[in-house]
Amino acid sequence: MDWRALRPYLAAASVVVLLFVAGVVALSHSEAPVGGSPQVSGSPTLDAAPTPESSTAQSPAPTKDPVATEIDRLRAAARVAPGPPGRRITGDFSQQPDLYAAEFVRRLLTQDYRTSRAEHLAWVQSEAAQTSEPLVVGLVPRELRDHLAVYSVTDATGQTPAVPVRNAWTALGLQDAYTTVRIERVTEPLAWSTAVSSGRISDPGVTGREVAASVTLHYRKQGKAVTSTSSVALTLNVEGPPTRGSWGFVTAVTYSSLAVSAS
């Protein structure tokens, strides 16, 4: 896998990207976004009056603003209540961002499809933290930010989400499927560290991490136990000291999975 493909850290295909880009453009038309996305120009102006032919032609149907579409999807997403506090990440893992990011991703991707998907998402919600950092939340309304955590791992808008949709989870459960995870490395994305060093991050408690892991799916095929292993990369934002007492999960920014072996 070419990990450099993940360098445009905040240029994710999820809701965070759309809202992030729009938020940055709203803040400043002259400053490039953290992820190096191209500047969004304003609407073009007409140099001359339309010809009779163009004035009588049928106008194309207006396209809905993609930012508004994503906000509508977030607003309509099912709300998830936090799970039992006893399942939360604690101890040393909750006091250091690298350790927290590694443990969060390990638990997130360790999925037993024979158990309740709702319980897994409830655990994600119990880890949810919020930030007001514009380069993270973009134009997400304040009242919806508490729902970003679960939304970011379940709704990938055209891509495979980190947590399978309900039907896929159920189908995997019928095959006695579950995953095991090995964390390989945790790094701070270059784009994020550059944004911090240039003073573009206003929330001192938010940071970004990129976690690489090996995920093995165990399941049964025609009564035989088989496995398949994938190389996974997930970038995420986490929030912690000094803004809050321990680290928590804000949102997943990018997620990719590449199959590497099967047996």
Side-chain angles (χ1 to χ4, degrees):
M1 174 180 293
D2 185 1
W3 300 108
R4 291 174 298 177
L6 294 176
R7 287 303 181 192
Y9 175 65
L10 291 177
S14 64
V15 57
V16 178
V17 169
L18 295 172
L19 304 179
F20 159 73
V21 172
V24 173
V25 172
L27 289 173
S28 172
H29 289 288
S30 62
E31 183 179 16
V34 169
S37 300
Q39 289 289 329
V40 179
S41 61
S43 300
T45 57
L46 297 177
D47 295 328
T51 62
E53 290 78 8
S54 63
S55 62
T56 57
Q58 183 177 0
S59 300
T63 302
K64 188 172 183 179
D65 181 1
V67 174
T69 298
E70 289 300 330
I71 291 178
D72 288 345
R73 288 172 64 87
L74 175 58
R75 195 182 304 277
R79 298 297 178 250
V80 176
R87 295 186 59 195
R88 285 212 57 199
I89 297 173
T90 59
D92 292 341
F93 290 113
S94 68
Q95 298 301 313
Q96 206 277 344
D98 286 355
L99 294 178
Y100 180 84
E103 181 65 6
F104 178 84
V105 171
R106 186 189 70 80
R107 294 196 193 186
L108 175 70
L109 301 181
T110 300
Q111 300 167 3
D112 188 341
Y113 305 109
R114 300 162 298 185
T115 62
S116 169
R117 178 178 181 269
E119 289 182 4
H120 193 61
L121 296 183
W123 166 76
V124 174
Q125 184 61 32
S126 71
E127 294 290 338
Q130 294 188 49
T131 179
S132 58
E133 172 55 52
L135 293 186
V136 174
V137 298
L139 297 181
V140 177
R142 185 178 299 274
E143 69 273 13
L144 298 181
R145 292 174 187 172
D146 188 46
H147 309 298
L148 266 179
V150 170
Y151 184 83
S152 70
V153 299
T154 56
D155 192 316
T157 313
Q159 297 185 353
T160 301
V163 178
V165 298
R166 184 181 295 105
N167 289 345
W169 184 287
T170 301
L172 286 163
L174 295 175
Q175 300 178 71
D176 291 329
Y178 64 96
T179 61
T180 54
V181 178
R182 184 181 74 251
I183 300 299
E184 296 179 340
R185 64 181 177 274
V186 180
T187 57
E188 183 181 66
L190 177 61
W192 183 267
S193 58
T194 300
V196 172
S197 62
S198 63
R200 296 176 61 195
I201 306 299
S202 59
D203 181 355
V206 71
T207 190
R209 289 296 184 270
E210 180 176 292
V211 181
S214 176
V215 179
T216 300
L217 173 67
H218 307 257
Y219 62 104
R220 301 193 71 83
K221 184 177 182 180
Q222 297 178 345
K224 180 182 177 182
V226 293
T227 63
S228 63
T229 300
S230 299
S231 181
V232 171
L234 191 150
T235 53
L236 66 161
N237 288 119
V238 294
E239 178 87 5
T243 304
R244 67 196 308 263
S246 59
W247 290 93
F249 172 61
V250 178
T251 185
V253 183
T254 65
Y255 172 76
S256 66
S257 177
L258 179 65
V260 295
S261 67
S263 62

